[in-house]
Amino acid sequence: MTVAAIIPAAGSGKRLGGDTPKAFRLIAGTTLLRRSVDAVATSVDSVVVAVPPHWCVAAQAALAGAACPTAVVVGGATRQESVFVALTALAPSVDVVLVHDAARPLMPPAVVAAVVAAVHAGAAAVVPAVPVPDTVKSVDAAGRVIATVDRTALVAIQTPQGFRRDVLERAHGVASAVATDDAALVEALGIPVVTVPGHPAGFKITTPYDVVLAEALLGSRT
Ligand code: CTP
Ligand code: MG
């Protein structure tokens, strides 16, 4: 099987703040984009990254010397659009597609390999899941608690998410609403999605706190 990864990296990073798009921000001297590509590169045959307009040259520079061939496309106004555009840039030979957020630079390659292995073993769609550690409650607009949700049935979902190419293309082709992940589009088709264990290091860089956390983790590894 030929495996490709799509890296949606076209967001601006509003919650992180600053002028540079989030994927091009540095963590311990290396862009999130490069770190996220490196996390998947040993498990895939090629990578397509979707970046903001005017960031293609910077992306090519950031990806020089990566462990697998990379292509750069301009993404869209939503994450879903960015993935859709990248899908159209895949080589015809690709039959398994991983979608991995540029914003998850520290996802261990072992989790990536487990996602690929699950697709190889026959799953049409695979997502990494981690337990939800906090008590979860639903609240009304004023912040008053309505109910405590049974968290034993809840997991938090990370990326990379792995798919049979035909399934992911069909899911994006018929998508009627904007979803926050690709598996939701596959679920809408009624196709089963399975989980593999994720990893806490695969957390998404969203706020400045997450940058501090990522740099601390990288510092503690050396
Ligand atoms: N993404 C994308 N195209 C968009 C929006 C998001 O490719 N139009 C990508 C981001 O670059 C990121 C991933 O989707 O790698 C997850 O999105 P998120 O963490 O929300 O990143 P941003 O949208 O950049 O951040 P924010 O929502 O704070 O603006
Ligand atoms: Mg966003």
Side-chain angles (χ1 to χ4, degrees):
M1 282 190 178
T2 303
V3 186
I6 286 173
I7 309 282
S12 60
K14 262 196 211 79
R15 288 168 288 181
L16 184 56
D19 293 332
T20 305
K22 184 161 71 178
F24 293 88
R25 297 283 286 273
L26 302 178
I27 290 193
T30 302
T31 59
L32 271 75
L33 175 62
R34 178 57 187 260
R35 290 187 182 278
S36 298
V37 168
D38 287 349
V40 300
T42 53
S43 291
V44 304
D45 301 293
S46 61
V47 172
V48 178
V49 307
V51 300
H54 313 301
W55 285 85
C56 291
V57 172
Q60 278 151 1
L63 298 176
C68 71
T70 58
V72 180
V73 298
V74 174
T78 63
R79 180 186 183 282
Q80 193 167 317
E81 269 180 52
S82 296
V83 173
F84 184 80
V85 173
L87 268 174
T88 66
L90 291 177
S93 57
V94 170
D95 34 30
V96 175
V97 182
L98 303 188
V99 183
H100 182 51
D101 291 329
R104 297 182 189 271
L106 302 186
M107 179 52 90
V111 174
V112 181
V115 170
V116 173
V119 180
H120 279 169
V126 182
V127 297
V130 291
V132 178
D134 295 318
T135 296
V136 178
K137 296 183 192 294
S138 55
V139 294
D140 66 15
R144 279 184 299 255
V145 171
I146 296 167
T148 300
V149 180
D150 177 11
R151 86 173 173 215
T152 57
L154 297 180
V155 287
I157 297 301
Q158 303 177 317
T159 72
Q161 302 188 348
F163 305 93
R164 264 183 19 218
R165 178 187 184 158
D166 60 319
V167 166
L168 186 61
E169 285 182 337
R170 189 143 56 91
H172 272 271
V174 301
S176 51
V178 176
T180 54
D181 77 349
D182 301 279
L185 302 176
V186 172
E187 290 156 41
L189 295 180
I191 294 172
V193 177
V194 301
T195 61
V196 295
H199 193 286
F203 70 97
K204 186 159 71 73
I205 303 278
T206 305
T207 67
Y209 171 85
D210 299 319
V211 173
V212 174
L213 183 57
E215 291 195 322
L217 283 168
L218 286 166
S220 71
R221 275 188 199 172
T222 57

